Amino acid sequence: STQSTGTYESTYTLGEKQPAYMKYGIGGAIVLLLILIIWFPLLFMSVVTTNSIPNPPTAFACSLSISGLEPLVSVRVAQMPDPMSDDELAELQKIVYKQNQNFTSSTSNYTEFVKRFRSPDVVRLDIYTDSTTLWEVSPAAVTSLTRLLNDTSTADQYLTMRFDWTITRDPESTTADKVVTGTTEIDIRDTKGIEKGHPYIDRASFLRMIQTCDTTRPLSITQLVPSFLLARESGSSQEVFLFPSNTTNTHNKKRIDLSLTASPAADPDNCYLWNGYYWSFNQRSEFLEPFSSPTPNLSTNKAQFYIFSERIVSSQYQLIASYGVIGLYISVVLVIFKFIRLVITDSSTRIIFQEMPCPDLIMALVSSTEMVRAQREFVLEQVLYRKLLLLYRSPETLIVWTGRHRRLKEE
């Protein structure tokens, strides 16, 4: 069998010999097609990302509140400043790099985060932080709060103070949320038993302010109010750190003073917090850049925030980009390979016929089998049928046999 195979392969060819440029050209085209199938979704998403558009904030609001009560401080900014210029963003990158240059292992992480954004995506917000409303709280709520702050028996159940912020946009994409929110919180508790470095608000100091309506001594709060806010395309907003958390600087989260102020409507002789009092907070930690406001000296209470806004996909790519990279991969790969599967399906049953050099002998054998059956020569039919089965059970024999017949025909 090995000898006949070698003789056949050296004598006969199953197809016409193709030039080298044709073989390499077809092979190269197939390789390029496979590369295109693999890289097209990534290439397309790269184009989509490159053509994304800014989604700047149009309004900002923040508040300080205690669990279950109306906010102590409520600040709203309806007139947002213009986004940073290229020079201002470059200056921010320099500041971040300079502050982190002593921490070489993490400098690149923080600077790379800032470099992800372009100048229209970053807004520096310098705001005055006096509450825009009086503290709208009932006498019963103040009594309940005072009782909870006085109760030291529930050592494992702490009140918490929350800082909430809301960023409003006007997105052109339907996949982006118009409003994103975020929150941070810390416990109000005694100093006794506090682990070193654990943020908290002193319970006794806060209780004193509530009971005496103390407007002279503010309450110091750390590790509650973030400086850098990330406004995602959808979902929630998050605080981000541009400096290592193990440093002593307070740029990531501000140190603030929470103060109580009596309005002219407040009763000077009685401590009624629900009647004419409002709260404010003031950033005591160093400003990353000098405070700037279109209305200077409006108040001594102020704070600085940086809002980083993720870009959104323009409307012309929105439908396709909504599937994401994974969805695009699945769609492209499934469609293309389903087409390939349709083309090559059942090829194993067709190859033996398509690669047959000359089918004349097989056709003659089938015709003879049909003829002897019609003549009722069943013994001869069985012999011919066995020969047919023998040929089709051995594709090698079939190819060699039909190839020899083609040679005889050519001679």
Side-chain angles (χ1 to χ4, degrees):
S1 175
T2 306
Q3 184 178 2
S4 62
T5 303
T7 304
Y8 166 71
E9 290 179 349
S10 62
T11 309
Y12 302 102
T13 56
L14 300 183
E16 296 181 3
K17 186 176 181 179
Q18 300 292 333
Y21 72 86
M22 180 68 70
K23 292 188 290 186
Y24 292 122
I26 294 176
I30 294 175
V31 171
L32 289 177
L33 178 62
L34 292 175
I35 294 175
L36 181 63
I37 292 173
I38 295 173
W39 284 99
F40 173 75
L42 291 177
L43 179 63
F44 185 82
M45 292 304 295
S46 176
V47 172
V48 169
T49 304
T50 305
N51 290 275
S52 58
I53 57 178
N55 187 25
T58 57
F60 176 80
C62 63
S63 65
L64 281 172
S65 61
I66 301 174
S67 309
L69 295 178
E70 290 296 321
L72 302 175
V73 181
S74 181
V75 179
R76 292 178 177 85
V77 180
Q79 181 93 26
M80 294 295 291
D82 294 331
M84 281 186 164
S85 64
D86 292 339
D87 293 338
E88 290 173 333
L89 183 59
E91 183 64 25
L92 176 62
Q93 293 174 356
K94 290 180 182 178
I95 293 174
V96 173
Y97 179 81
K98 183 178 180 180
Q99 294 282 344
N100 286 287
Q101 61 183 354
N102 294 328
F103 304 90
T104 54
S105 60
S106 57
T107 299
S108 59
N109 296 335
Y110 299 113
T111 54
E112 284 300 322
F113 175 82
V114 180
K115 290 180 180 179
R116 281 173 44 195
F117 298 88
R118 307 174 193 174
S119 54
D121 306 325
V122 184
V123 173
R124 191 186 80 191
L125 190 59
D126 295 330
I127 60 174
Y128 294 105
T129 50
D130 295 308
S131 181
T132 55
T133 62
L134 298 176
W135 194 26
E136 298 176 351
V137 65
S138 68
V142 175
T143 302
S144 176
L145 176 61
T146 304
R147 185 174 64 252
L148 289 173
L149 290 173
N150 266 318
D151 188 6
T152 58
S153 61
T154 56
D156 297 331
Q157 300 177 5
Y158 305 111
L159 288 173
T160 58
M161 181 171 290
R162 293 163 50 99
F163 178 76
D164 300 278
W165 67 91
T166 302
I167 301 173
T168 306
R169 293 85 58 86
D170 188 17
E172 297 182 11
S173 171
T174 57
T175 59
D177 293 338
K178 185 174 182 179
V179 176
V180 290
T181 60
T183 183
T184 58
E185 63 180 17
I186 57 175
D187 295 331
I188 303 174
R189 55 183 297 179
D190 291 322
T191 57
K192 184 178 180 180
I194 293 291
E195 298 179 4
K196 185 177 181 180
H198 184 78
Y200 72 100
I201 296 175
D202 184 24
R203 180 193 61 82
S205 300
F206 188 54
L207 177 61
R208 171 185 50 78
M209 293 184 69
I210 297 294
Q211 289 180 324
T212 64
C213 295
D214 189 354
T215 59
T216 59
R217 287 181 292 178
L219 179 66
S220 179
I221 302 174
T222 59
Q223 300 297 310
L224 175 61
V225 181
S227 298
F228 310 105
L229 309 175
L230 174 61
R232 296 190 177 278
E233 180 181 353
S234 58
S236 61
S237 175
Q238 296 178 345
E239 57 176 320
V240 292
F241 289 176
L242 296 188
F243 305 93
S245 57
N246 59 348
T247 61
T248 57
N249 71 60
T250 52
H251 288 313
N252 288 326
K253 286 191 173 182
K254 314 175 187 301
R255 183 177 73 252
I256 65 169
D257 284 345
L258 179 65
S259 58
L260 182 65
T261 305
S263 71
D267 187 350
D269 299 323
N270 297 287
C271 180
Y272 297 145
L273 286 175
W274 56 87
N275 185 18
Y277 285 87
Y278 65 93
W279 299 82
S280 307
F281 72 87
N282 181 42
Q283 178 175 336
R284 300 296 297 173
S285 55
E286 180 185 2
F287 285 78
L288 197 62
E289 296 181 89
F291 184 88
S292 175
S293 174
T295 53
N297 302 322
L298 185 64
S299 172
T300 57
N301 299 311
K302 57 190 73 172
Q304 187 176 79
F305 297 92
Y306 289 83
I307 302 176
F308 297 87
S309 300
E310 288 188 348
R311 290 186 158 237
I312 58 175
V313 179
S314 59
S315 56
Q316 56 184 342
Y317 299 111
Q318 181 178 329
L319 179 62
I320 300 178
S322 61
Y323 291 99
V325 176
I326 302 301
L328 206 56
Y329 258 118
I330 293 175
S331 301
V332 171
V333 172
L334 282 183
V335 169
I336 293 179
F337 281 98
K338 188 173 183 179
F339 173 76
I340 295 176
R341 182 180 178 183
L342 289 175
V343 172
I344 66 174
T345 187
D346 297 330
S347 60
S348 59
T349 60
R350 290 185 280 107
I351 288 175
I352 194 171
F353 303 104
Q354 294 174 345
E355 299 295 330
M356 192 184 301
C358 183
D360 290 354
L361 281 180
I362 299 297
M363 291 300 298
L365 187 58
V366 172
S367 300
S368 300
T369 305
E370 184 180 11
M371 182 179 65
V372 296
R373 178 185 295 174
Q375 298 294 327
R376 296 181 178 275
E377 297 289 342
F378 298 118
V379 176
L380 184 56
E381 178 193 358
Q382 186 178 20
V383 173
L384 295 176
Y385 192 72
R386 285 181 177 177
K387 188 174 183 180
L388 194 61
L389 287 178
L390 177 64
L391 289 173
Y392 274 98
R393 284 175 178 173
S394 175
E396 181 182 6
T397 305
L398 181 63
I399 295 295
V400 172
W401 194 53
T402 55
R404 287 175 178 173
H405 182 66
R406 185 178 66 175
R407 184 191 62 176
L408 294 175
K409 288 181 64 177
E410 291 176 351
E411 292 178 354

